[in-house]
Amino acid sequence: MSVFWQDLAAVSSGQWSVASQNTGFCWPAGDFMDFSVRETVGDRMAAASAVTHGLTPASLFSLNGTIERRALRFLLPAIVLLVIMLFVSTMAGAQAGKYPQTIVFMTDFGVVDDSVAICRGVMYSIMPEVRIVDLSHEVTPFSILDGARFLYGATPYYPAGTVFVVVIDPTVGSTRKAIAAKSKRGQYFVLPDNGLLTLVEQRDGIEGVHEITNTDWMIGTKLSSTFHGRDIFSPVGAHVARGEDWTKVGPEMAVGALVRLELKAARVDDRGATAEVIATDGPFGNLVTNLDAEDFLKLGYQRGQEVPVRIGGREMKIKFVRTFSDVAVGQPLLYIDSRGHFALAVNQGSFAAVYGVKPPVELWIARAGK
């Protein structure tokens, strides 16, 4: 591209023409044509033009500048268009190759030992150029529900083709299946078949599922019965990310045969909403519920109002606000969280710790005016 930009600059500065003074034609001063050839062709064209129009060499010489200017006015827009097209094409190609394939990695391993680093090493050994994004390695140990929630929350922000490797596997080494699946959004999932896909399937749908049995895609001659994250899920995820046919992992399974979590759905009726506190929000102790913002707002409350709630056996009246700082430090609040769900918090405190709430806990909210 730099050569084209230099040529364009030369055109603008009047340095582009190296034609013979006898030709009246303008040729580019690059490698487009040898100078002697340009001169010969130009002279012949100029001579032919002179014979046709009855021009003398002197008059032809005087027309030289006019012809060059006309040629330049004709050529310059075409050159600019060509340069722009080449530039856009080059940039598009650069963008396509700019970002490597992505594996999003989530476990409940924690970060106090070498487990995560070992799994990443396995993936890099198969595909050195892969980009690995750590979704979390601090998932509540053995909590398939938390893993399913985090997958549900993160997947919309990644493009088709992303591979999600998830190792939250409380029954590792048992008869539970290791699977690879593809969603209808074109994302891939390599994980144990224990319900982790429940929420993603409900929203995005699953296009296909295969059980992982192909030992060529695993590592080690003797598979560990307790570290399938290293021996199965990490290498398979890397093979899929590398563009290999993901269906080669093993035999196809019926989508309907997937293990699913049994989740209670929130219910709204004339009296109010019955929902459940399903988790806490990381280290902050905010309460995460299964009640959508849309369903909560059907109860008729406006921001600034106090809302009567019952959490387990505790009845409270808590103000519904926009954000944490809308109440004093240490005071409880109700709000719509970033995932679009009804939530409970304490400003700069932990609702779970302050009020002794440990999920799962039933939540009841009366309809406004009841």
Side-chain angles (χ1 to χ4, degrees), residues 54-65:
L55 298 175
T56 65
S59 62
L60 186 62
F61 178 78
S62 66
L63 289 173
N64 181 60

Side-chain angles (χ1 to χ4, degrees), residues 221-359:
T221 56
K222 293 183 178 179
L223 296 177
S224 165
S225 60
T226 59
F227 200 0
H228 287 184
R230 175 194 64 193
D231 298 339
I232 298 177
F233 299 117
S234 293
V236 169
H239 281 287
V240 175
R242 197 164 65 176
E244 299 178 45
D245 183 356
W246 74 278
T247 64
K248 300 301 184 184
V249 299
E252 186 174 10
M253 287 175 48
V255 173
L258 284 171
V259 173
R260 294 170 175 83
L261 296 175
E262 295 182 3
L263 302 175
K264 292 182 179 179
R267 303 188 311 275
V268 178
D269 57 29
D270 292 340
R271 299 186 304 112
T274 302
E276 188 172 71
V277 176
I278 59 174
T280 58
D281 183 11
F284 300 106
N286 305 333
L287 303 189
V288 179
T289 78
N290 64 345
L291 180 63
D292 291 339
E294 182 179 353
D295 286 336
F296 168 71
L297 294 175
K298 289 177 182 177
L299 300 178
Y301 293 103
Q302 303 295 323
R303 286 185 172 86
Q305 285 185 275
E306 287 195 336
V307 179
V309 299
R310 184 173 68 242
I311 307 166
R314 180 191 294 269
E315 294 188 357
M316 306 175 64
K317 284 190 175 182
I318 307 174
K319 186 176 288 188
F320 174 44
V321 297
R322 186 180 63 87
T323 189
F324 310 107
S325 59
D326 288 343
V327 301
V329 172
Q331 291 300 305
L333 61 124
L334 309 178
Y335 69 108
I336 305 302
D337 67 17
S338 61
R339 312 297 174 87
H341 287 83
F342 176 80
L344 303 88
V346 168
N347 185 17
Q348 299 184 36
S350 167
F351 196 106
V354 171
Y355 296 102
V357 179
K358 185 177 181 180

